[in-house]
Amino acid sequence: MTRITARRRHPLARYAVLLLALGLIGGFYTLVAPPSERADAAIASGRADDAAQGKKLFEQSCASCHGLNAEGTKQGPSLVGVGAAAVDFQVSSGRMPLANPGAQAPRKPRAPWATDEAIKQLGAYIESLGGGPTVPAAEQVDPAKGDKAKGGELFRANCIQCHNFVGSGGALTRGKYAPPLHDATPTQIYEAMITGPQAMPVFNDSIITPEQKRDMIAYIVGVREEPNPGGAGLGRIGPVTEGLVAWIAGLSLLALAAIWITAKKRQAH
């Protein structure tokens, strides 16, 4: 008993007891902690790993134009605050990395390194620098859950001035243009609305709600999946193009007919 009492009175005994108690409490909490909290911790750890890998990708493929810390240079703008959605849109559509400087970055095949996982990692890194719009969830961009009729009204009110009625695109000023939407995925369409790439304005949730964005996606996807009833699409902009073709064809036929009749009369004489 004397030895036990002496050990209890040792100056380090209280610290040993405290450490033992903390270890027991920590182990018990780990066992009984709600799954969601554990999942959040795992997600946070995964994002940190993605951001670390994304930084390496950024330094290899993007830093030469956007700066070592994405602060921007004369060749490329700052990426601080643009968010993961902007990265996903630009890289998944092949617009970045930019092949040649110009008024606008065209859509092209992805870079060889730009896998879905690599784009996710790069987006995590850019998002870690200053936040910004995130990549939308699959449910947010599902055309099957949107209303085509409402989406058509919204598209005609906000988009046809540049992209035309069926998303075929159109010319803008100073060498820029509104690209056709035929190859854009639902996710890319949503990301374009919330990030405003190139000359496109930003349509945030206070202007067009997430539900309305999904309705517009439903309209765009629905229109481009419809067959052309007349065979040739002619840009699918309606009677303007059709009337122009008919006018040119009609005048050409009349001119040929006049030449043929004149030639016949000369032969008769």
Side-chain angles (χ1 to χ4, degrees), residues 33 57 88-89 165 230:
L57 289 169
D88 187 75
F89 173 82
F165 289 89

Side-chain angles (χ1 to χ4, degrees), residues 9-71:
R9 292 178 180 176
H10 194 280
L12 298 177
R14 66 184 68 181
Y15 298 107
V17 173
L18 180 60
L19 290 173
L20 179 62
L22 289 174
L24 291 173
I25 293 172
F28 177 75
Y29 180 78
T30 301
L31 293 174
V32 301
S36 60
E37 293 185 12
R38 291 189 223 167
D40 290 343
I43 291 171
S45 176
R47 285 177 179 168
D49 293 340
D50 285 342
Q53 288 297 117
K55 184 177 182 180
K56 295 178 182 178
L57 289 169
F58 180 84
E59 291 171 349
Q60 294 170 2
S61 305
C62 313
S64 59
C65 291
H66 295 285
L68 287 175
N69 299 306
E71 73 278 12

Side-chain angles (χ1 to χ4, degrees), residues 115-130:
T115 63
D116 290 344
E117 183 65 19
I119 294 173
K120 176 185 173 185
Q121 293 169 346
L122 186 59
Y125 169 65
I126 296 300
E127 190 170 338
S128 72
L129 298 178

Side-chain angles (χ1 to χ4, degrees), residues 9-233:
R9 292 178 180 176
H10 194 280
L12 298 177
R14 66 184 68 181
Y15 298 107
V17 173
L18 180 60
L19 290 173
L20 179 62
L22 289 174
L24 291 173
I25 293 172
F28 177 75
Y29 180 78
T30 301
L31 293 174
V32 301
S36 60
E37 293 185 12
R38 291 189 223 167
D40 290 343
I43 291 171
S45 176
R47 285 177 179 168
D49 293 340
D50 285 342
Q53 288 297 117
K55 184 177 182 180
K56 295 178 182 178
L57 289 169
F58 180 84
E59 291 171 349
Q60 294 170 2
S61 305
C62 313
S64 59
C65 291
H66 295 285
L68 287 175
N69 299 306
E71 73 278 12
T73 67
K74 292 181 179 179
Q75 288 74 37
S78 169
L79 300 182
V80 177
V82 303
V87 174
D88 187 75
F89 173 82
Q90 297 287 355
V91 181
S92 69
S93 65
R95 290 178 168 87
M96 294 291 155
L98 187 64
N100 298 302
Q104 189 162 322
R107 186 184 187 94
K108 62 182 186 300
R110 292 187 188 186
W113 59 265
T115 63
D116 290 344
E117 183 65 19
I119 294 173
K120 176 185 173 185
Q121 293 169 346
L122 186 59
Y125 169 65
I126 296 300
E127 190 170 338
S128 72
L129 298 178
T134 58
V135 177
E139 184 180 357
Q140 289 178 277
V141 300
D142 187 356
K145 297 183 178 181
D147 187 319
K148 292 182 183 179
K150 292 181 179 179
E153 294 177 2
L154 290 164
F155 188 84
R156 288 187 288 273
N158 296 281
C159 310
I160 63 171
Q161 298 89 338
C162 299
H163 291 283
N164 97 9
F165 289 89
V166 292
S168 295
L172 301 175
T173 59
R174 299 181 180 179
K176 296 183 179 181
Y177 58 91
L181 305 180
H182 307 318
D183 296 325
T185 66
T187 297
Q188 290 169 348
I189 295 171
Y190 193 105
E191 289 168 341
M193 285 190 275
I194 61 176
T195 61
Q198 313 294 337
M200 182 172 173
V202 176
F203 294 100
N204 57 38
D205 291 349
S206 63
I207 299 174
I208 298 177
T209 67
E211 292 76 17
Q212 291 175 328
K213 290 183 176 72
R214 186 167 58 191
D215 292 340
M216 293 171 72
I217 290 170
Y219 169 75
I220 295 168
V221 172
V223 165
R224 69 190 183 192
E225 289 178 350
E226 292 179 1
N228 293 310

